[in-house]
Amino acid sequence: MPKAISLVDELMDDTNFRYDIEEIILMPKGGGIFEVTINDQLIYSKKEKGRFPEKKEVPTLIREQVLNG
């Protein structure tokens, strides 16, 4: 859970869209599951990548998702 919390901090420090974020939900699950969704669309899966996201990776994916709709 510490990595998920640090990701929330990273998102809230990103001045490009922090004021546009309406909600961040952290849902603890077993088995090392770590997924990030935006508007019900999966944009990052630790299971698929085999690793936690690198710094700035998730904000970049969110920007791409928002811009490409």
Side-chain angles (χ1 to χ4, degrees), residues 1-2 6 8 17-18 41-42 65 67:
M1 193 75 147
S6 68
V8 171
F17 56 81
R18 74 172 173 216
Q41 184 169 353
L42 181 66
Q65 176 65 28
L67 291 175

Side-chain angles (χ1 to χ4, degrees), residues 5-52:
I5 292 170
S6 68
L7 175 58
V8 171
D9 287 339
E10 184 179 338
L11 293 173
M12 296 313 294
D13 285 343
D14 190 314
T15 57
N16 291 311
F17 56 81
R18 74 172 173 216
Y19 298 110
D20 295 326
I21 296 173
E22 294 179 11
E23 181 176 56
I24 294 177
I25 300 171
L26 298 177
M27 296 173 40
K29 294 186 178 186
I33 294 172
F34 183 87
E35 297 178 331
V36 177
T37 61
I38 182 168
N39 298 329
D40 296 323
Q41 184 169 353
L42 181 66
I43 64 166
Y44 188 89
S45 169
K46 179 184 161 217
K47 183 177 180 180
E48 289 177 11
K49 297 278 188 178
R51 61 176 175 79
F52 276 98

